Amino acid sequence: CPCYPLFPITFSSRRYVAGGQCKSTAKLDGKVVIITGANTGIGKETARDLARRGKVIIACRDIAKGEVAANEIRAETGNQQVIVKKLDLADTKSIREFAENVLAEEKELHILINNAGVMLCPYSKTADGFEMHLGVNHLGHFLLTFLLLERLKQSAPARIVNVSSLAHHGGRIRFHDLHGEKSYNCGLAYCHSKLANVLFTRELARRLQGKSPSTARFTANCLHPGSVHSELVRHSSVMTWLWRMFSFFLKTPSEGAQTSVYCAVAEELDSVTGQYFSDCKPAYVSPRGRDDATAKQLWNVSCELLGIQWD
């Protein structure tokens, strides 16, 4: 059959698109994981994998959708310790209420995966007046991490995993116009916020290192999940159409979750911090993503915007 040679080519192409796989079989017995935005897409698949290993808290804005996802994961994994809690990263009041609830109910917290995000939003602002991409993708997770940090430290070994993107290469931190009030492009706004994820991870890791023995195995890393067929492009009809047309060349949510899982559980990353990963291996960071001066300035500006002191 003349079509026969196409099969191995197609199969190998699909394997290439799928990318790296997390091979760790590490269990998380007695450990607690929080995943933001885990009711759909990459976050849901990350929760599905980690629910086979330990307790998972799904933090999401839509509780009804969260419960649907949690019920599916409980039924599949047999783990009843899949909990749904409300978290709206576009509202600092909701973030603080979520953190208070977690701290009241969980005496230990071992892994925080800052996964939730928005992409290609028309210009809008969060409840606190932040540009939506910056507010949700960066500032919301910055505040959440700040509020949960001491519990993570007390529970060490612990890990913080920030889901960034290859799009950080196109980003700049525009301190003169952080909220896009002078000029706005939804694609660039997304890139800027993903660069902020990388810089936040870099500065957080720097500040954690050498503070005390308890932080010796307290790490912070970030990652690019790959180009994934998910709901993230829902704000753009053009991107939604392209995603459907070229779905063969996109990762599935399960494939996109592999690097998140890897950063959360891989034994070889026990003492690795401040790094950026893609396809379950270290990846190249843009020059702007390695700018320590910008990382420090962004940290200070973020604290000012959120009204917190984080030394």
Side-chain angles (χ1 to χ4, degrees):
C1 172
C3 296
Y4 175 76
L6 294 178
F7 174 75
I9 295 173
T10 302
F11 180 75
S12 62
S13 299
R14 191 66 198 80
R15 286 293 301 271
Y16 176 80
V17 169
Q21 288 188 318
C22 177
K23 294 181 169 42
S24 173
T25 58
K27 293 296 184 183
L28 299 174
D29 297 332
K31 295 191 175 184
V32 181
V33 182
I34 291 176
I35 310 171
T36 67
N39 60 309
T40 187
I42 298 169
K44 180 180 175 182
E45 296 308 317
T46 303
R48 191 191 308 274
D49 183 291
L50 296 183
R52 296 187 177 98
R53 306 170 190 255
K55 181 175 181 177
V56 173
I57 296 174
I58 291 175
C60 60
R61 184 177 54 180
D62 191 322
I63 290 291
K65 289 183 178 179
E67 285 295 349
V68 170
N71 285 332
E72 179 185 319
I73 293 170
R74 290 180 197 123
E76 182 177 322
T77 65
N79 181 4
Q80 298 306 304
Q81 290 286 286
V82 180
I83 313 299
V84 179
K85 292 184 182 293
K86 184 174 178 59
L87 170 65
D88 184 353
L89 288 161
D91 185 345
T92 57
K93 180 181 177 182
S94 174
I95 298 169
R96 291 182 179 278
E97 289 175 351
F98 170 83
E100 287 175 7
N101 182 271
V102 167
L103 294 175
E105 295 186 2
E106 304 296 338
K107 300 310 177 188
E108 291 190 319
L109 175 59
H110 304 89
I111 301 170
L112 171 62
I113 302 179
N114 291 320
N115 163 84
V118 294
M119 181 180 180
L120 304 176
C121 299
Y123 188 77
S124 57
K125 290 187 174 182
T126 68
D128 301 273
F130 308 139
E131 187 279 314
M132 190 63 69
H133 292 89
L134 182 77
V136 171
N137 297 354
H138 169 60
L139 291 171
H141 284 128
F142 188 97
L143 178 60
L144 179 63
T145 304
F146 166 76
L147 295 171
L148 298 177
L149 190 71
E150 288 306 313
R151 186 59 45 89
L152 284 158
K153 284 183 179 178
Q154 294 163 8
S155 309
R159 300 185 187 190
I160 296 170
V161 178
N162 295 323
V163 179
S164 180
S165 169
L166 183 69
H168 85 271
H169 285 268
R172 287 177 52 212
I173 305 301
R174 303 167 70 246
F175 289 109
H176 67 287
D177 189 25
L178 273 178
H179 303 295
E181 294 168 330
K182 296 178 182 178
S183 65
Y184 179 76
N185 177 286
C186 62
L188 289 176
Y190 177 72
C191 295
H192 301 334
S193 71
K194 294 291 100 178
L195 174 59
N197 294 154
V198 174
L199 292 169
F200 170 45
T201 304
R202 187 177 183 88
E203 181 65 9
L204 176 60
R206 186 189 70 80
R207 288 170 178 258
L208 290 174
Q209 284 184 312
K211 288 280 187 179
S212 70
S214 65
T215 61
R217 293 183 64 195
F218 184 20
T219 64
N221 292 298
C222 60
L223 65 102
H224 167 54
S227 296
V228 180
H229 195 282
S230 71
E231 296 178 4
L232 195 59
V233 297
R234 64 187 177 275
H235 293 291
S236 169
S237 57
V238 173
M239 288 296 290
T240 299
W241 179 80
L242 288 172
W243 250 227
R244 288 174 182 165
M245 285 291 292
F246 297 99
S247 59
F248 178 84
F249 300 100
L250 299 172
K251 291 185 178 184
T252 65
S254 178
E255 291 163 351
Q258 292 303 303
T259 306
S260 294
V261 174
Y262 175 76
C263 289
V265 303
E267 298 88 340
E268 62 267 31
L269 300 186
D270 275 351
S271 58
V272 175
T273 192
Q275 301 301 305
Y276 172 73
F277 294 86
S278 178
D279 283 329
C280 301
K281 59 181 184 291
Y284 179 75
V285 178
S286 74
R288 288 193 179 113
R290 290 179 270 122
D291 188 327
D292 289 333
T294 301
K296 291 174 186 176
Q297 186 178 357
L298 178 62
W299 183 283
N300 293 332
V301 170
S302 299
C303 288
E304 290 173 12
L305 289 170
L306 293 165
I308 60 176
Q309 290 186 329
W310 190 355
D311 298 321

